[in-house]
Amino acid sequence: MSLVSHRAACAALTLLLAGSPAMADLQVTVGATSESTVALKMEVDRLVPLTSLHPRLDLRLATGLLLLSSEQQDGNAALLLSPALRWTFPGERDLFVEGGIGGALFLKTRVEARNLSTAFQFEDRLAVGMPWAGGELSLALTHYSNGGIKRPNDGFETLTLGYRFPL
């Protein structure tokens, strides 16, 4: 990881945790890419209530690291900035759905056979989840793509299962 990307990651984590540390959570997810490689994501996040807009609406601000394995080469990693809107359904189970568009800065512009062309990729994410065992369990589908900034634009997807718990 270059010095610039290391400093950017530290700055993003500092901004996220600038308030009360008790408000921060850690989310760990594991899954696979559309290239059938293992994906591991670790994020520190904060849930910001948007009750002035609607009592069931929240903003989830997250920053973290995505690690991708590889059978063909040395794998890849990305720094993430992932905002998402969360809607919690009424009822006893507090089921929720999240959706957001963020950004990812990859170390390499290849993921297995996919040519990303640019280190910067958009991160489009949809997730569903529910409280479980003192934290939250979620299932997420995430698409990474440079949005046509440069060709080729061989984006890829991840399907992950995650657990979020308070720090």
Side-chain angles (χ1 to χ4, degrees), residues 119-135:
F120 173 78
Q121 299 286 300
F122 291 101
E123 179 192 67
D124 306 325
R125 182 175 168 275
L126 286 174
V128 295
M130 61 184 264
W132 187 66

Side-chain angles (χ1 to χ4, degrees), residues 10 43 61 101 105-106 114 153 155 158:
C10 290
E43 292 180 305
L61 298 172
I101 299 174
L105 187 59
F106 282 84
R114 306 270 176 138
N153 181 20
T158 63

Side-chain angles (χ1 to χ4, degrees), residues 35-56:
E35 296 291 298
S36 299
T37 60
V38 175
L40 174 66
K41 187 190 300 187
M42 294 167 287
E43 292 180 305
V44 176
D45 69 14
R46 172 177 290 184
L47 210 56
V48 178
L50 298 177
T51 51
S52 62
L53 296 175
H54 196 280
R56 299 197 172 279

